[in-house]
Amino acid sequence: MRGSDTMSESGAVLPWQVIRQDDGGNRYRVGRYATQAEAQKVADGLDHRHHHQVYRVERVGQGAGP
């Protein structure tokens, strides 16, 4: 994994991401976060509000394949 893959435009290291997966299997990045706990908190909050999508926490570069 390259360092630029985990940095924000400001240079902050953001190795954790929240991914939304819809009923059709399409995946979208919701945001990137510095810690797994921060990303999980965001995902948990979204899970409670949106019942038809799944929110997952993944390390950048470690996501599910096609």
Side-chain angles (χ1 to χ4, degrees):
M1 177 173 11
R2 296 185 323 256
S4 62
D5 291 340
T6 61
M7 291 184 133
S8 71
E9 292 177 11
S10 68
V13 176
L14 304 173
W16 294 97
Q17 59 187 353
V18 174
I19 300 294
R20 176 176 66 95
Q21 185 169 333
D22 64 21
D23 292 338
N26 300 303
R27 294 167 44 90
Y28 306 93
R29 184 173 61 211
V30 174
R32 290 173 65 168
Y33 304 92
T35 67
Q36 184 178 12
E38 182 182 11
Q40 190 63 58
K41 183 176 179 179
V42 170
D44 290 345
L46 291 169
D47 269 339
H48 292 297
R49 293 192 326 215
H50 302 284
H51 300 289
H52 296 286
Q53 288 87 29
V54 174
Y55 292 88
R56 301 177 191 274
V57 172
E58 299 175 353
R59 191 161 180 92
V60 173
Q62 301 287 316

